[in-house]
Amino acid sequence: MKKILFASSEAVPFIKTGGLADVVGSLPKNFDHKKYDVRVILPKYACMDEKFSKSLKTVASFYTELGWRKQYAGVLGAKADGIQYYFIDNEFYFAGNHPYGEIYQDIEKFAFFSKAVLDALEFIDFLPDVIHCNDWQTGLIPVFLEKFYRGRENYSKIRTVFSIHNIRFQGRWKIPEVKDVTGLPEDVFTAEGIESYGESNYLKGGIVYADAVTTVSKSYAMEIMTPEGGEGLDGVLRRYSFKLFGILNGLDYDVYHPGKDPYITAKFSVKNAAAKKRRNKENLQKISGLPKERDTFLIGMVSRMSDQKGFDLVACILDEFLSRENVQFVVLGTGEERYENMFRYFSDKYPDKMSVYIGYSEDRAHLIYAGADAFLMPSLFEPCGLSQLISLRYGTVPIVRETGGLKDTVEPYNKFTQEGCGFSFANYNAHEMADAMRMAKELYETEKNRWQDLVLRGMKQNFSWKSSVKEYERLYESICQLTE
Ligand code: ADP
Ligand code: GLC
């Protein structure tokens, strides 16, 4: 039995700000549990929903050395969906009403988390064969392991995987301060180590020191090795390309299941999608304050409001599109104020066509996935993207830009062969996006049967974890052989 420990800054159901939480909350369940004992370790944030924090049980406590500091670390435990979760507790570091704060605070917070994870292993009696780290917040785990723990018997054989969910966020900060916080030796702060453009860079630490690096789609794995997509780290990634793998994310098919979803108005399957989606659409229009128009093309968006998600393209064409087209938009999201305000402005200007809810809402998200006709995701870049996968499963036709995981998962509609399950455009250009939206709308309005076939083809796609989990299992096996 191999022991795998996932270290992450978020995981469903405990704490979520984006797709990382969906991935860490579902991938571990999908391993072959006869061969793999998979557990997860997270920070215990003060902002975690009380219904979870109240149920945690104390497992251990100790002190973690962080440079000259000695900091208290508690370990709490809980089971969810058959998976053992651990939480590192420290009320000072994990205070506040959001998992992430100012970068200078997060730098020390996640250095502490990474160090405490390694210290915790001896106290929780779970010495993993592989620690699977996720994003920059856990990038120092492979570095600390190499520099401070390798000599200890219990740690000598531990291997590490580092998964990049988004290369834009790197955890960069001034070298003297990171030296002080981590106590790591000089050689770590060089170009061979975590130094990058004169700063220290946690994500680079993960790339350099882990035994294998993965990212969440094959296209994104290629893109991050180019100057356009590498956010300054393309050179490092090309250098380590021998240990870089693209493994596509899956979706939790138990949670995102239109036949079982407790949030949606009318549950459905491929057999009754047309009629039931109509009811879901009606209810979505009702709660969104839009006229109940059965045949008006309704486009949904559920997203972090960041430039990553292509909102600059939306901003460019929205006024013209809303003024000219008979269309409805239902938008849910929160993030940068300029985008939130743009949607507020257009929902005031076109109250019968645009409805926006600024905030985070799990139930509204599901209502949009189930009730919209199409889902717009024109990302500037997209490592994998889960929203388009959820849309496909709920019979909502994705309109996407051909980048990263969107390119790998949404096969464009071909009107000659009647293949494909969405609409896409190649360049980061607002008019190309508007053309794709118009093509989708035209098919919806003029060729109902073909549209319905397109919907069903999307619903029948399979983006469960089944094949990706095998790729992770093979990867774990291969890096574990490195020790033998
Ligand atoms: P990213 O992780 O880059 O934000 P993904 O598409 O991988 O993008 O995952 C986003 C996840 O977060 C999806 O499950 C999506 O439904 C959810 N989500 C994003 N914004 C909101 C919101 N405002 N309310 C509810 N869920 C949201
Ligand atoms: C990141 C990416 C998104 C991906 C998610 C989970 O947040 O932006 O594309 O789906 O991580 O891997």
Side-chain angles (χ1 to χ4, degrees):
M1 178 82 89
K2 284 233 153 53
K3 290 185 240 157
I4 315 293
L5 183 66
F6 272 73
S8 172
S9 57
E10 46 184 282
V12 161
F14 301 101
I15 191 94
K16 167 168 168 178
T17 72
L20 169 63
D22 288 312
V23 170
V24 180
S26 60
L27 170 57
K29 289 190 281 185
N30 287 276
F31 284 92
D32 178 350
H33 294 298
K34 285 191 221 83
K35 293 193 192 143
Y36 298 92
D37 180 354
V38 188
R39 305 188 186 185
V40 182
I41 191 158
L42 306 167
K44 180 187 167 287
Y45 301 106
C47 60
M48 185 196 289
D49 193 321
E50 248 193 29
K51 80 171 181 259
F52 297 117
S53 55
K54 275 193 170 153
S55 67
L56 308 182
K57 307 237 164 14
T58 303
V59 178
S61 67
F62 52 87
Y63 282 84
T64 281
E65 281 175 23
L66 204 58
W68 49 266
R69 304 160 189 78
K70 229 177 176 193
Q71 306 290 34
Y72 169 84
V75 185
L76 306 169
K79 272 216 162 181
D81 254 348
I83 297 291
Q84 177 68 49
Y85 282 81
Y86 299 104
F87 300 83
I88 298 289
D89 183 27
N90 175 301
E91 287 186 1
F92 164 70
Y93 286 124
F94 303 129
N97 50 20
H98 197 269
Y100 313 119
E102 300 294 333
I103 182 71
Y104 68 91
Q105 295 167 347
D106 285 358
I107 283 293
E108 183 170 331
K109 179 198 298 188
F110 290 109
F112 165 75
F113 176 64
S114 298
K115 192 87 191 320
V117 165
L118 288 163
D119 285 337
L121 306 180
E122 289 182 316
F123 293 93
I124 60 177
D125 199 20
F126 188 72
L127 285 155
D129 297 280
V130 176
I131 306 179
H132 189 143
C133 310
N134 293 276
D135 274 350
W136 75 264
Q137 292 86 352
T138 56
L140 288 186
I141 291 179
V143 188
F144 284 137
L145 178 63
E146 221 41 61
K147 294 293 166 187
F148 293 146
Y149 295 81
R150 266 301 176 225
R152 299 197 207 167
E153 203 196 331
N154 282 337
Y155 292 77
S156 64
K157 287 192 172 158
I158 298 177
R159 298 281 126 189
T160 50
V161 172
F162 181 68
S163 288
I164 301 171
H165 296 264
N166 192 336
I167 203 167
R168 159 139 338 153
F169 305 109
Q170 302 182 355
R172 290 162 67 151
W173 196 243
K174 302 177 186 98
I175 287 179
E177 289 188 29
V178 175
K179 261 189 199 163
D180 177 77
V181 162
T182 60
L184 282 164
E186 286 293 331
D187 65 301
V188 168
F189 296 91
T190 62
E192 303 301 307
I194 73 170
E195 186 275 336
S196 173
Y197 303 96
E199 291 185 308
S200 57
N201 185 316
Y202 285 21
L203 190 95
K204 189 182 173 208
I207 297 170
V208 172
Y209 291 88
D211 296 296
V213 180
T214 70
T215 188
V216 290
S217 69
K218 305 240 183 287
S219 286
Y220 194 61
M222 300 308 287
E223 288 166 13
I224 57 178
M225 286 192 282
T226 67
E228 297 75 33
E231 301 275 346
L233 292 180
D234 47 297
V236 179
L237 286 159
R238 284 196 301 276
R239 177 167 173 198
Y240 289 102
S241 60
F242 63 89
K243 60 170 181 178
L244 173 65
F245 305 90
I247 304 180
L248 193 68
N249 283 337
L251 204 59
D252 191 328
Y253 270 20
D254 294 330
V255 173
Y256 297 105
H257 189 315
K260 293 190 201 157
D261 191 327
Y263 293 117
I264 69 178
T265 318
K267 303 188 197 348
F268 61 100
S269 68
V270 278
K271 293 207 183 88
N272 56 8
K276 299 288 180 171
K277 273 192 72 78
R278 217 173 292 133
R279 282 195 48 211
N280 286 311
K281 180 171 175 179
E282 231 172 65
N283 185 50
L284 180 61
Q285 288 169 325
K286 188 169 145 211
I287 62 153
S288 310
L290 294 173
K292 268 198 203 168
E293 292 169 357
R294 190 167 137 171
D295 295 318
T296 299
F297 189 52
L298 194 159
I299 300 177
M301 290 186 92
V302 177
S303 183
R304 284 188 291 118
M305 288 189 180
S306 130
D307 67 332
Q308 175 192 338
K309 302 294 178 179
F311 286 109
D312 291 322
L313 299 189
V314 179
C316 220
I317 56 103
L318 205 51
D319 205 3
E320 187 194 332
F321 204 82
L322 287 168
S323 69
R324 289 197 176 170
E325 306 283 344
N326 179 33
V327 68
Q328 293 182 337
F329 274 88
V330 177
V331 179
L332 164 66
T334 170
E336 286 178 44
E337 228 176 291
R338 56 186 169 140
Y339 299 129
E340 295 183 349
N341 288 339
M342 164 185 82
F343 283 114
R344 285 194 186 103
Y345 171 81
F346 286 120
S347 69
D348 280 350
K349 188 165 175 188
Y350 301 99
D352 285 350
K353 292 185 171 180
M354 160 68 75
S355 165
V356 60
Y357 182 94
I358 301 295
Y360 188 90
S361 164
E362 202 63 40
D363 49 343
R364 261 174 201 268
H366 286 239
L367 292 171
I368 295 175
Y369 289 121
D373 296 306
F375 189 87
L376 180 61
M377 201 165 170
S379 305
L380 173 61
F381 67 94
E382 197 61 71
C384 177
L386 299 175
S387 293
Q388 84 280 14
L389 304 182
I390 306 172
S391 303
L392 285 169
R393 187 113 213 268
Y394 282 70
T396 299
V397 175
I399 303 171
V400 304
R401 191 170 93 81
E402 291 155 18
T403 179
L406 296 175
K407 184 169 155 191
D408 294 357
T409 56
V410 179
E411 189 194 336
Y413 171 65
N414 181 325
K415 66 179 173 190
F416 303 107
T417 61
Q418 294 304 312
E419 287 170 320
C421 47
F423 291 84
S424 64
F425 60 101
N427 296 306
Y428 192 69
N429 174 301
H431 299 289
E432 280 192 29
M433 177 186 76
D435 283 347
M437 288 159 70
R438 285 199 188 92
M439 267 167 62
K441 182 169 172 283
E442 196 187 311
L443 188 75
Y444 170 85
E445 287 170 350
T446 58
E447 306 210 50
K448 287 279 178 214
N449 290 339
R450 292 195 158 173
W451 178 266
Q452 198 50 35
D453 290 344
L454 176 66
V455 165
L456 296 183
R457 274 199 300 280
M459 289 183 73
K460 288 179 193 156
Q461 299 280 306
N462 189 343
F463 290 107
S464 69
W465 278 107
K466 210 167 172 200
S467 67
S468 298
V469 88
K470 294 273 168 276
E471 292 185 56
Y472 281 115
E473 289 180 1
R474 277 198 295 275
L475 183 64
Y476 296 157
E477 295 303 329
S478 71
I479 58 172
C480 285
Q481 278 171 11
L482 297 173
T483 49
E484 285 158 14

